Structures are given as C-alpha cells and as structure tokens.
Amino acid sequence: MTRRYALIFTIIYWFIYSPNGFAQQLSTNPSAPTLTLSQCLSQALTKHPALAAVRSRIEGAEQFRQFAAARLNPSITFQSENWRFTGEPPFKASQDLDLFIYGTQTLERGGKAARRREVAAQAEEVLQAELETLKRRLTLEILRSYYKAVVAQSLLEILSENRQNLDQLVKYNDVRVREGYTAEGELIRARLEMQTATTHEATVALELERAKLELLKTIGEAQFNTNFRVTDEADLTPTARLANAPVAAPLSELLQQALAKRPELLTLRARLEHAKAALRLAEANAKSDWSASFGYKRTTGFNTFIAGISIPLHLFNKNQGEIGRAAAEIAAIEHELSAEENFIRAEVQTAYQASERIRQNLFALQSDFLLRADDTRDVALAAYREGATDLYKLLEAQRARNDARLLYHRLLYDFRLSLAELELASGQEVTTTK
C-alpha cells in the first residue's frame, strides 16, 4: 500500500509541477524562422508586383510629360511642275521647269503646348496618388492577414498546452484505474475530453495554415512555404499590452487628418485637377493652328523666294464635343469626391468607436483576468487531488481557463488590429510596435 501511495503521489506531483504540466507554454515549431509585421510590410511595399506595375506606369507618364511640349518639327516639300516630253518649242528643263523647295512649320495657338504639359503632369500626379492608395489597401490586407495568423498561432499554442495537460490527466487516471482507486468511467471521460481537444487543435492548426498562406499571398511572396512563425514585435504580456496601449487622438482631429491625408481623397483631387487641365486643353484645341511656309522657287530660269501662311477656317467644329465631355468629367469627379469624403468620415468614426469599445472591454477585464482563471483551475485541481470533487469539476475548470485565455488573446489582437485600422483610416502611418 505504501508503494501504491508513493506512486500516486509521484504521479500527482509530476502532473502538477513538471515542465509538461499545466504551466507549460507550447509553441508551434519554435525553431522555425520568424516573420514580423514590419518585415511583411517592408517586403510588400518594396517588391509587390502590383506596386511595381504602378511604378512602371509612373515612369511612362514621366517620359510622356518630358516630351509633351511642342518642338520645331518642320516639313520639307520638294515639288517640280511643267514637265513635258513632246511639243514645240522643245522642252528645256533649265528654262521651262518650275521647281519649288520650301519648309512648313505649324504654329500652335491657344497655349496648347503648355496645356499638354499640364495634363501630362497631372496624369503623373494621379498615378502617384493611386500608388499611395494601393499601398494603403495592401497594408490593410497585410494587417488583417497578419493578425489572423497571430491569433490562430496563439490559440494553437493554448490548445496544444491544453491537449498535453489532458494527456497527462489520461495517464494519471489510467494509473489510478489499474490500481483500483478510480472508476473506469472517469478514464473514459478524460480520454473523450482529450480527443475533443485534439480535434479542436487540428482545426485551429488548419486555420493557421490557411492564414499563413493568405499572408504570403498578400505580401506578394512567390514561394508559399508556411514553415515560419509570425512574431509580434510588441510585448506579448497582457499587463504590458494594456499599460502601453496608445491613446487615440480626439475624433475631430482624426477626421481632419483623414480628409487631408487619405490617399483615396488625394487620388480623386489629383483626378479632378487632371480633368480641369484636360478641359483647358480641349478649349485650347478649339483654336485652329496656323501653318507658315518659306522656301525657294525657280520658274523660267528665274530664282525667287516664296512665303505663305495657312489659316484653317473652323466654321462648325469648335471642339465642343470634347469640351462638353471634359466638363462632365469634372462634375462626375466632384460628386465622387463628395461621396468619398462622407464614406471616409463614416469609416474613421466606425474605427474609432470599435477601438474604444475593445479598449473598454480590455480594461474591464484587467490584467489579472487570466490569473483568476488560473486560480480557479488550481483550486479544482487541488480538490480533485484530495478527492473532494470529481473529474467533471476539474474539466469544467480547465475549460473555463482555456475559454478565458482564448477570449483574452483574441481581444488583445482585435485591439491591436483596431488601432492599426484607425491609423490607416485617419491617413497615418501604421506603427508596427506598440
């Protein structure tokens, strides 16, 4: 009997205090390389193919702007007349042939060259703004994919710990059943609980795999190797998280920043200026261009000079169609700008309220929330060890502890994501360490 009690005491002590017991914090392949949020953003913003495509279009727009102005491009005309092969008097080329050599240059009116340069410059500004808009969209997608992977990884570590703890509980009850101190029903219940935990862990592992693949796709990675860990650059402890949580600026200030800095609005404003420049170019094109000619003429042996000017008569075509289209485009963009401003106001207010609600929930829980959950489990474990309670009570306490930890970690990362979304919504740069 003494040996049996010593064996049971050893199992209980090992179950509670061993490195593989309840206090163990497991990780998914801790030796794997790590990937931080700043690394994800840096790689995407420098190497993403979509951004490279926009940068190539910007280079093309810059080349177009450089050569948009009119340059001297005259045309040379060589013409001869009065050729004949028969008749009287006999044909003498030096006396009878008319020879013309002259150059013609188009003279643009209405400042068309300046208007073309203006349109080209505004087109480049539109592409620059679109590049910033695409950067913001990619940043938002990376943030959501990254924190989804971080949450899944944290949950997987919690569930892995829970599953190993239940495995130890199964082994403990197996020994007690074989020694005759526990009914076999408790061993069956413990095994069922462990199988449930194993299934839950496998489901979260699949979610983590999908989240990693989504993250790699978002940052523009060509190799989809998911053997890595996502690592938060901030302090992961709940107390430090709450103590270092940044305080958002007042809502009115965030709205002003958003209306001044959001790339979507900058893009629409650049498009509006481009449309106005296009209207001015269309109005300039309504004025006809003149053509001036100057050259040499030889007729009947006499050498003379010729000069002339050609003035088109635009009696009906005043470019009204293009002018009307450009004016309608301006009105359309102004309406789009007004709608986008309203949308951004709503987006900023929504993000602000979401971050405030999550912040309030975090502070309502306080940093000792997990400690109380641990205490509840420890009390149930001590009672189970003394025989004062059954296995159901211990399993319920363990489930409550796991649910508390899962809730707290989800809330923490929801808070981080909400702050990042608020920064993006207000036109600020995303802070990767808080």
Side-chain angles (χ1 to χ4, degrees):
M1 292 294 294
T2 303
R3 293 180 59 186
R4 290 180 181 177
Y5 283 123
L7 177 61
I8 294 173
F9 178 80
T10 301
I11 293 175
I12 294 175
Y13 181 87
W14 178 70
F15 174 55
I16 299 173
Y17 297 106
S18 70
N20 294 322
F22 276 98
Q24 182 187 23
Q25 296 291 337
L26 297 178
S27 60
T28 55
N29 194 7
S31 62
T34 60
L35 185 62
T36 64
L37 177 57
S38 60
Q39 290 173 337
C40 293
L41 294 174
S42 176
Q43 177 172 337
L45 298 181
T46 55
K47 300 180 180 179
H48 200 285
L51 295 177
V54 179
R55 292 189 180 103
S56 296
R57 288 196 292 269
I58 291 175
E59 292 178 2
E62 184 179 358
Q63 293 293 323
F64 179 77
R65 178 179 58 81
Q66 292 177 357
F67 295 94
R71 290 175 172 81
L72 291 177
N73 290 301
S75 61
I76 301 297
T77 302
F78 178 84
Q79 178 180 341
S80 64
E81 298 178 358
N82 296 333
W83 285 90
R84 61 187 175 87
F85 300 97
T86 61
E88 296 293 336
F91 174 73
K92 294 182 179 180
S94 61
Q95 297 293 327
D96 300 332
L97 190 64
D98 291 344
L99 181 64
F100 301 85
I101 301 176
Y102 59 91
T104 304
Q105 173 63 45
T106 300
L107 304 177
E108 290 188 337
R109 300 173 62 239
K112 294 184 179 67
R115 301 284 80 81
R116 285 198 302 272
R117 288 195 299 268
E118 185 182 11
V119 170
Q122 291 299 329
E124 188 175 353
E125 289 294 326
V126 170
L127 289 173
Q128 290 285 0
E130 289 179 353
L131 178 63
E132 296 303 318
T133 301
L134 180 57
K135 285 181 179 180
R136 179 191 177 274
R137 182 176 62 82
L138 284 176
T139 300
L140 184 59
E141 291 178 359
I142 290 171
L143 283 169
R144 290 172 176 171
S145 300
Y146 171 82
Y147 281 117
K148 183 178 180 181
V150 169
V151 169
Q153 182 175 276
S154 299
L155 300 187
L156 182 59
E157 292 173 358
I158 293 172
L159 293 173
S160 297
E161 175 198 347
N162 180 52
R163 188 255 309 157
Q164 290 204 0
N165 291 333
L166 291 172
D167 182 59
Q168 300 301 326
L169 183 61
V170 169
K171 293 178 180 178
Y172 170 69
N173 278 277
D174 184 53
V175 173
R176 295 190 65 185
V177 168
R178 283 190 280 106
E179 294 294 334
Y181 292 101
T182 302
E184 188 174 358
E186 292 198 0
L187 176 59
I188 294 174
R189 286 194 292 269
R191 286 176 175 171
L192 179 61
E193 190 73 16
M194 189 187 71
Q195 290 174 353
T196 302
T198 302
T199 303
H200 192 188
E201 181 184 0
T203 302
V204 175
L206 179 59
E207 293 177 1
L208 175 59
E209 188 75 9
R210 290 174 176 173
K212 287 182 177 180
L213 289 172
E214 182 67 24
L215 178 60
L216 292 174
K217 182 184 75 172
T218 304
I219 65 178
E221 181 61 55
Q223 302 295 329
F224 294 93
N225 181 12
T226 58
N227 183 30
F228 65 89
R229 286 177 51 81
V230 284
T231 304
D232 200 329
E233 296 157 296
D235 192 337
L236 294 176
T237 60
T239 303
R241 278 292 188 74
L242 289 172
N244 298 327
V247 179
L251 179 58
S252 58
E253 181 179 338
L254 294 176
L255 287 171
Q256 291 178 357
Q257 292 179 1
L259 295 178
K261 298 181 180 180
R262 278 288 291 268
E264 295 91 337
L265 295 179
L266 297 180
T267 300
L268 285 173
R269 288 165 186 158
R271 286 179 54 198
L272 180 60
E273 293 302 319
H274 179 264
K276 291 179 180 179
L279 175 61
R280 289 189 288 268
L281 177 59
E283 292 172 344
N285 287 334
K287 297 181 179 181
S288 60
D289 296 332
W290 296 357
S291 296
S293 301
F294 182 82
Y296 163 81
K297 174 183 177 183
R298 179 181 176 84
T299 303
T300 64
F302 294 96
N303 298 321
T304 60
F305 291 98
I306 59 173
I309 187 168
S310 176
I311 302 176
L313 299 178
H314 287 182
L315 300 179
F316 301 103
N317 182 16
K318 299 294 185 179
N319 206 30
Q320 292 301 315
E322 185 62 22
I323 292 174
R325 187 205 66 78
E329 181 69 13
I330 291 174
I333 295 176
E334 287 176 343
H335 290 306
E336 289 181 27
L337 182 60
S338 178
E340 187 67 23
E341 287 177 349
N342 292 334
F343 174 78
I344 287 176
R345 289 189 184 96
E347 185 179 2
V348 172
Q349 187 163 351
T350 301
Y352 183 85
Q353 291 175 350
S355 64
E356 285 302 306
R357 287 196 183 99
I358 298 176
R359 185 200 305 274
Q360 292 171 7
N361 291 336
L362 280 175
F363 279 99
L365 293 177
Q366 295 300 329
S367 59
D368 60 346
F369 175 68
L370 298 182
L371 296 178
R372 291 198 296 269
D374 290 341
D375 292 341
T376 302
R377 189 282 317 275
D378 293 341
V379 170
L381 178 60
Y384 181 72
R385 180 183 61 185
E386 297 295 334
T389 186
D390 57 15
L391 181 62
Y392 277 128
K393 297 293 184 180
L394 176 59
L395 294 178
E396 287 296 329
Q398 180 65 17
R399 292 193 199 103
R401 176 177 179 266
N402 288 333
D403 291 343
R405 297 177 68 192
L406 296 176
L407 170 65
Y408 202 88
H409 279 78
R410 286 185 185 275
L411 202 56
L412 281 172
Y413 286 108
D414 284 346
F415 182 50
R416 289 291 304 279
L417 178 59
S418 68
L419 290 176
E421 289 178 340
L422 181 58
E423 288 176 336
L424 285 176
S426 59
Q428 304 177 45
E429 294 291 333
V430 175
T431 305
T432 58
T433 57
K434 295 186 179 72

